[in-house]
Amino acid sequence: MGIRLDNASAFQGAVISPHYDSLLVKVIAHGKDHLTAATKMSRALAEFRVRGVKTNIPFLQNVLNNQQFLGGTVDTQFIDENPELFQLRPAQNRAQKLLYYLGHVMVNGPTTPIPVKADPSPTDPIVPVVPIGPPPAGFRDILLREGPEGFARAVRNHQGLLLMDTTFRDAHQSLLATRVRTHDLKKISPYVAHNFNKLFSIENWGGATFDVAMRFLYECPWRRLQELRELIPNIPFQMLLRGANAVGYTNYPDNVVFKFCEVAKENGMDVFRVFDSLNYLPNLLLGMEAVGSAGGVVEAAISYTGDVADPSRTKYSLQYYMDLAEELVRAGTHILCIKDMAGLLKPSACTMLVGSLRDRFPDLPLHIHTHDTSGAGVAAMLACAQAGADVVDVASDSMSGMTSQPSMGALVACTRGTPLDTGVPLERVFDYSEYWEGARGLYAAFDCTATMKSGNSDVYENEIPGGQYTNLHFQAHSMGLGSKFKEVKKAYVEANQMLGDLIKVTPSSKIVGDLAQFMVQNGLSRADAEAQAEELSFPRSVVEFLQGYIGVPYGGFPEPLRSKVLKDLPRVEGRPGASLPPLDLRALEKELAERHGDEVTPEDVLSAAMYPDVFNTFKDFTSTFGPVDSLNTRLFLQGPRIAEEFEVELERGKTLHIKALAVSDLNWAGQRQVFFELNGQLRSILVKDTVAMKVRPPVPAWWWGRAGPGVHVSSAACRRCTSTPRP
């Protein structure tokens, strides 16, 4: 209403000349006043799609956003006095870019590496019904009202057991190689907000998700946080912070870690679980200080290994954990966490460790994290709760078990009607699990069940963390060691002992895994590797660990292995980040603006600071293929089927109606034409077939006069023939 179009020379195939009237269409907007008419005009201009020529639409949009114009005080000097009108924003062209992506996937297959050949489920997961209206109040309301200290008191004074749901992060990191996309998290978020307001928190960020979002899913991790925060305003969000490593795999300058925590808090993060892969106290304290200065809830985590209930395991004894807890409490942690990343906590050890911590720190909330690799996770968490733990970690039933966390439904059912009652409605857990069962089918190519059919109690021997177990298995397959995974697990034990019996969690677990695979690949035993240490070319991660790049392990570095491997290489003394100069974030922002040309946000700067190469590749990808995060998961991984019709919502009010029509034969240049119908109009995309070109390179130019189009000269024939090449 209120828009009139007078068409001129705008039609498909028209040649627009600069020498005469180049008007495409005249737009007239009508409203009750000047501002209303301008608003209608802005919307009309924004909805034009003109391809083939540049138009003055960006200039007109700048005029319509100018306050002087909207105020009606324009004179003949208006353009001269407002040079910013010519700062034109290029069109996003999102629809065309998405068609190019879909065509690329239809021709060449997925853009993200697929470890196992398995198609996504053809059916979408069932989203449970969500009531109308705002969600009920949750623990985040207490946090916003009373701050971190008041929040911690409320947790400690709460009657019953509290749960943290890891489904949004650690569960899929452990089971599905961290590949769950924001698209599928957003669909279930309103249901979570309305039905699980009794949760302590939702873990949905940090760890490997930051890297994987950009590297493999081509999503902005910050945007994920922002969108989930909007959908779940009432439940605290929790992230995993790798101490001085933030969300990376190496140490960063201190100012980067501090700025990261500040911006994460501004984007909606609440609780920061701070850990260090070696329990190296200086790295832990740096992360805690960064979170505290940002105003977040500090949850200092002690990474657990060994068995405090086994008197023969003397290195990581009960006294070791109690002393470390004392240091973290003295440093001001709001909550203390025991992070059992391999699922080694047995019920007897839970009773001993948690009971001792509760006796020593009666007013401090205790939070326990484990993995269910051995199958004893539910029993262990119940033992922790009975010994005095306030919070335990669980995952949706269909995303629990094996290398993930214990079942949410099992903990809810086992505590129902007892003093530990969680208050979470069990029937809601069933619907939640049904959604994730369907969603999990979309990620069949990444599912750990392709290589792992059950839990394994041998984790008590090899101590492989849950988040690493399936990745190590996939890596073994990719290196040709799939049939030797049993040997890899045994080598993991030997590698760990070679390195001094480490706390094993990212990145220290990767170091042990790299060494184990190196040993199996080269047929080395521990004795062989130690004897030949001066001659062997060890994996880079092992060498850098021995140099001290991730910190100092408890008990010191292994000797004489360290001296043999390093020889004259430099060594880092003390906390690695302490010797790094501050990063110039302003200079980095300027560099990114020059390279990518977009508006650079503080979030972009931090992404580039953590993962410079990954971030630049991500930005280049989205510049070429557009917002692929708006596609559903099956389309993202597999592309559409011929004659399939579907919708893509770019943003609220902007929906694309697309139909895949056909894919042409390969042309002489190794390209295929992919045809779509977009909002009722025919579109074609030219895509290079990289798969076919590996098998059949393009016919060389010199051959065209001798053979004909479509004839391929094989290199084998060329080698056999000394005269004219044969087709």
Side-chain angles (χ1 to χ4, degrees):
M1 291 293 292
I3 295 293
R4 168 177 159 170
L5 304 180
D6 291 351
N7 287 345
S9 55
F11 57 89
Q12 189 169 342
V15 177
I16 310 301
S17 169
H19 305 298
Y20 187 59
D21 190 355
S22 56
L23 180 69
L24 302 178
V25 62
K26 181 167 66 178
V27 190
I28 303 172
H30 178 270
K32 64 179 182 179
D33 52 38
H34 183 67
L35 184 60
T36 304
T39 302
K40 290 185 178 183
M41 178 69 82
S42 291
R43 177 172 176 178
L45 291 174
E47 293 180 358
F48 270 94
R49 297 292 180 269
V50 183
R51 302 285 179 258
V53 293
K54 291 184 178 180
T55 74
N56 62 345
I57 287 177
F59 169 77
L60 296 175
Q61 288 175 317
N62 285 347
V63 171
L64 289 162
N65 288 324
N66 183 278
Q67 292 303 312
Q68 185 180 344
F69 176 84
L70 294 176
T73 58
V74 175
D75 56 27
T76 55
Q77 300 300 310
F78 173 66
I79 293 178
D80 294 333
E81 294 170 354
N82 292 275
E84 69 276 6
L85 296 175
F86 294 96
Q87 295 175 3
L88 309 179
R89 289 178 62 90
Q92 298 182 72
N93 206 3
R94 292 176 293 181
Q96 192 77 3
K97 290 177 180 178
L98 283 176
L99 291 184
Y100 183 45
Y101 175 80
L102 293 170
H104 182 83
V105 175
M106 292 171 71
V107 171
N108 295 307
T111 55
T112 187
I114 302 292
V116 176
K117 289 185 178 180
D119 290 335
S121 169
T123 57
D124 291 331
I126 299 172
V127 181
V129 177
V130 177
I132 298 173
F139 265 90
R140 188 165 190 261
D141 297 272
I142 298 174
L143 174 59
L144 296 177
R145 186 173 61 248
E146 301 182 19
E149 291 79 10
F151 174 77
R153 283 193 300 271
V155 170
R156 184 68 193 101
N157 294 330
H158 179 77
Q159 299 299 310
L161 179 65
L162 289 168
L163 305 177
M164 181 179 88
D165 179 20
T166 68
T167 309
F168 280 44
R169 192 201 70 84
D170 202 17
H172 73 83
Q173 180 171 323
S174 301
L175 298 177
L176 303 175
T178 328
R179 290 306 199 277
V180 172
R181 302 170 64 240
T182 304
H183 182 274
D184 297 309
L185 297 173
K186 285 165 57 180
K187 286 166 70 173
I188 193 61
S189 290
Y191 181 84
V192 172
H194 280 83
N195 293 282
F196 295 139
N197 62 304
K198 298 290 182 65
L199 290 177
F200 165 78
S201 66
I202 297 170
E203 189 194 36
N204 60 1
W205 215 57
T209 58
F210 196 92
D211 169 33
V212 171
M214 293 187 291
R215 188 189 299 267
F216 296 126
L217 304 181
Y218 309 109
E219 299 180 353
C220 174
W222 298 97
R223 187 175 175 190
R224 173 181 292 191
L225 178 57
Q226 294 158 0
E227 291 181 334
L228 293 180
R229 180 79 284 167
E230 187 175 341
L231 294 169
I232 309 177
N234 57 332
I235 304 173
F237 283 175
Q238 183 152 343
M239 72 164 289
L240 190 63
L241 187 80
R242 296 169 177 156
N245 294 4
V247 288
Y249 301 99
T250 186
N251 280 265
Y252 298 101
D254 292 355
N255 70 315
V256 173
V257 180
F258 274 76
K259 187 65 177 177
F260 177 87
C261 292
E262 175 189 326
V263 176
K265 177 68 171 60
E266 291 171 356
N267 278 274
M269 187 48 59
D270 300 304
V271 184
F272 295 72
R273 176 177 286 170
V274 184
F275 81 101
D276 180 74
S277 64
L278 300 174
N279 280 345
Y280 183 49
L281 191 60
N283 281 350
L284 276 166
L285 296 180
L286 187 280
M288 292 172 64
E289 186 181 350
V291 173
S293 66
V297 177
V298 180
E299 182 178 296
I302 300 174
S303 297
Y304 179 84
T305 193
D307 183 359
V308 295
D310 183 352
S312 67
R313 303 291 297 273
T314 56
K315 182 171 184 179
Y316 299 105
S317 64
L318 178 63
Q319 191 59 47
Y320 164 79
Y321 292 109
M322 297 304 294
D323 291 345
L324 188 53
E326 196 80 57
E327 295 285 354
L328 298 177
V329 172
R330 189 179 299 119
T333 187
H334 299 117
I335 299 169
L336 183 66
C337 171
I338 298 298
K339 180 177 166 56
D340 175 24
M341 52 280 168
L344 303 180
L345 273 172
K346 301 169 186 173
S348 58
C350 294
T351 301
M352 183 182 297
L353 179 58
V354 177
S356 298
L357 290 170
R358 175 51 64 226
D359 291 342
R360 180 79 66 88
F361 311 108
D363 299 324
L364 184 70
L366 299 178
H367 188 166
I368 313 299
H369 167 86
T370 193
H371 289 256
D372 201 19
T373 311
S374 69
V378 172
M381 292 304 95
L382 286 172
C384 286
Q386 290 162 353
D390 299 283
V391 191
V392 298
D393 290 358
V394 295
S396 166
D397 294 0
S398 53
M399 291 287 286
S400 67
M402 294 199 290
T403 55
S404 178
Q405 278 65 55
S407 158
M408 176 188 287
L411 265 295
V412 169
C414 288
T415 58
R416 201 172 189 177
T418 74
L420 296 174
D421 197 322
T422 63
V424 175
L426 191 57
E427 61 277 8
R428 300 287 182 265
V429 176
F430 301 153
D431 294 337
Y432 186 46
S433 178
E434 183 181 14
Y435 171 82
W436 280 110
E437 186 173 3
R440 187 169 176 174
L442 297 171
Y443 300 92
F446 309 100
D447 202 313
C448 71
T449 54
T451 56
M452 182 180 181
K453 303 303 180 185
S454 66
N456 282 293
S457 57
D458 66 359
V459 71
Y460 292 126
E461 178 182 322
N462 56 55
E463 300 181 351
I464 300 174
Q468 184 188 26
Y469 200 102
T470 49
N471 285 337
L472 195 65
H473 207 162
F474 281 130
Q475 288 169 11
H477 275 276
S478 67
M479 297 171 66
L481 303 175
S483 61
K484 296 184 176 181
F485 189 58
K486 186 175 181 179
E487 287 90 333
V488 171
K489 290 193 287 186
K490 287 183 178 178
Y492 193 96
V493 178
E494 290 193 329
N496 178 49
Q497 294 304 318
M498 274 181 64
L499 297 174
D501 189 9
L502 300 181
I503 302 285
K504 291 169 289 299
V505 61
T506 306
S508 60
S509 56
K510 180 183 182 301
I511 295 164
V512 178
D514 288 349
L515 180 55
Q517 293 184 108
F518 172 79
M519 291 166 66
V520 174
Q521 203 168 25
N522 292 281
L524 299 169
S525 66
R526 176 184 176 182
D528 296 333
E530 289 177 333
Q532 303 171 38
E534 290 181 274
E535 292 78 31
L536 291 172
S537 179
F538 283 97
R540 180 179 175 183
S541 61
V542 175
V543 176
E544 290 184 345
F545 159 70
L546 293 173
Q547 287 180 278
Y549 280 123
I550 68 168
V552 181
Y554 176 63
F557 290 99
E559 289 290 1
L561 179 69
R562 188 191 195 200
S563 297
K564 287 182 177 181
V565 173
L566 295 186
K567 303 181 186 73
D568 297 327
L569 289 175
R571 308 181 186 202
V572 176
E573 302 298 333
R575 183 170 69 82
S579 58
L580 296 174
L583 180 66
D584 189 339
L585 297 174
R586 288 187 179 276
L588 179 57
E589 180 180 359
K590 183 179 179 181
E591 178 188 328
L592 294 174
E594 290 173 354
R595 170 165 181 161
H596 300 291
D598 300 336
E599 180 183 347
V600 177
T601 65
E603 291 81 4
D604 291 334
V605 174
L606 288 165
S607 295
M610 300 280 176
Y611 294 98
D613 295 337
V614 173
F615 177 76
N616 286 327
T617 301
F618 160 67
K619 291 294 285 184
D620 293 342
F621 182 95
T622 53
S623 175
T624 302
F625 292 119
V628 297
D629 56 341
S630 58
L631 299 171
N632 71 42
T633 297
R634 190 181 61 77
L635 290 172
F636 171 76
L637 292 175
Q638 200 175 44
R641 298 179 294 271
I642 298 299
E644 180 181 356
E645 298 183 50
F646 53 95
E647 292 185 347
V648 178
E649 186 178 49
L650 296 177
E651 58 186 76
R652 184 165 181 168
K654 291 189 178 179
T655 301
L656 306 176
H657 302 270
I658 303 174
K659 182 177 182 179
L661 299 177
V663 179
S664 75
D665 292 334
L666 199 69
N667 67 14
W668 67 270
Q671 299 168 318
R672 298 184 189 273
Q673 205 162 6
V674 187
F675 297 89
F676 295 96
E677 184 182 285
L678 173 65
N679 295 340
Q681 295 183 334
L682 180 66
R683 294 285 181 88
S684 66
I685 306 294
L686 204 58
V687 179
K688 185 174 183 179
D689 191 329
T690 57
V691 177
M693 295 305 291
K694 290 177 183 176
V695 180
R696 194 192 96 174
V699 177
W702 57 265
W703 180 250
W704 281 104
R706 308 186 187 192
V711 178
H712 166 54
V713 181
S714 78
S715 57
C718 294
R719 282 195 297 271
R720 286 197 304 269
C721 182
T722 57
S723 58
T724 305
R726 299 189 306 242

